Amino acid sequence: NAIPTEVGNMLALEKLTVSGYVDRPNRLTGTLPTELGLKRLARLTVAATNMSGTIPTELGISTGLELIRLHFGNFSGSLPTELGNLERLAKLILGENRFTGTIPTKLGQLSDLEEVDLAGTDLTGSMPKEICNMMMPKLELLVVDEDEVSCDCCTDTNVTNFYDDLYADDRTEGLD
């Protein structure tokens, strides 16, 4: 079972949530369809599933996206620079996946970012200074694996507390 490509025909779609639990993942498999590049899509959550593959670059045309949660999955590849086109993006939660490469500097252009979770991935290098320069006024939480990514501006190295807080939000917000 996968997210059908026909999702691209749902032009008024604003929220897509497919989620399981860390100890009981959703059985959804496959990859994120390129057709998810929908202009009205505001919230995308695909968490604790058996999905894999890369983040489609087409997601960068979903300029209304405010939230991307793709945590606890099997996603891989590099983070597309097109994510830097998502001017309204406030939360980018990608932890506990197999992403590789470096963190795109273009993410530093996203002035509405409040939370970024890149912990538990295979990303390497340094946190781009463009992102560190955003720390005020909006960016409140920036989490990476400091063994792999050097980061002088990261706010939380205690990933356990971060995920406890993250899932507390999920329980109270219904995985919005």
Side-chain angles (χ1 to χ4, degrees):
N1 295 335
I3 298 174
T5 57
E6 290 81 8
V7 72
N9 297 331
M10 302 173 75
L11 301 179
L13 184 67
E14 294 180 8
K15 178 180 175 180
L16 177 63
T17 299
V18 179
S19 184
Y21 298 96
V22 175
D23 58 343
R24 287 186 325 228
N26 183 298
R27 294 183 185 186
L28 195 66
T29 60
T31 60
L32 290 173
T34 57
E35 291 82 2
L36 274 177
L38 298 166
K39 294 203 183 273
R40 295 194 59 190
L41 188 63
R43 301 172 76 79
L44 174 63
T45 298
V46 179
T49 69
N50 289 314
M51 294 186 68
S52 59
T54 60
I55 297 175
T57 58
E58 291 82 357
L59 205 56
I61 64 169
S62 298
T63 53
L65 267 172
E66 299 168 2
L67 167 77
I68 299 176
R69 283 189 181 161
L70 302 178
H71 55 288
F72 291 106
N74 293 308
F75 296 107
S76 60
S78 61
L79 300 181
T81 57
E82 289 81 0
L83 292 178
N85 298 334
L86 305 175
E87 295 174 357
R88 293 180 164 179
L89 193 64
K91 294 183 181 186
L92 181 62
I93 311 297
L94 302 177
E96 302 304 323
N97 280 289
R98 290 185 257 156
F99 294 114
T100 57
T102 59
I103 299 165
T105 58
K106 198 168 180 185
L107 292 179
Q109 298 174 11
L110 302 177
S111 59
D112 285 346
L113 268 180
E114 298 170 3
E115 295 180 15
V116 177
D117 167 24
L118 302 173
T121 66
D122 294 323
L123 293 168
T124 58
S126 298
M127 181 62 62
K129 65 179 175 157
E130 292 83 354
I131 295 175
C132 289
N133 291 342
M134 292 176 34
M135 289 305 292
M136 292 300 194
K138 289 197 175 189
L139 190 61
E140 299 170 358
L141 186 66
L142 180 57
V143 183
V144 297
D145 287 329
E146 288 190 331
D147 293 341
E148 304 294 327
V149 177
S150 62
C151 182
D152 295 331
C153 62
C154 290
T155 59
D156 198 344
T157 57
N158 188 336
V159 177
T160 303
N161 288 342
F162 172 70
Y163 282 119
D164 286 346
D165 292 344
L166 180 68
Y167 277 103
D169 287 348
D170 287 347
R171 285 189 295 273
T172 59
E173 296 176 16
L175 282 175
D176 287 340

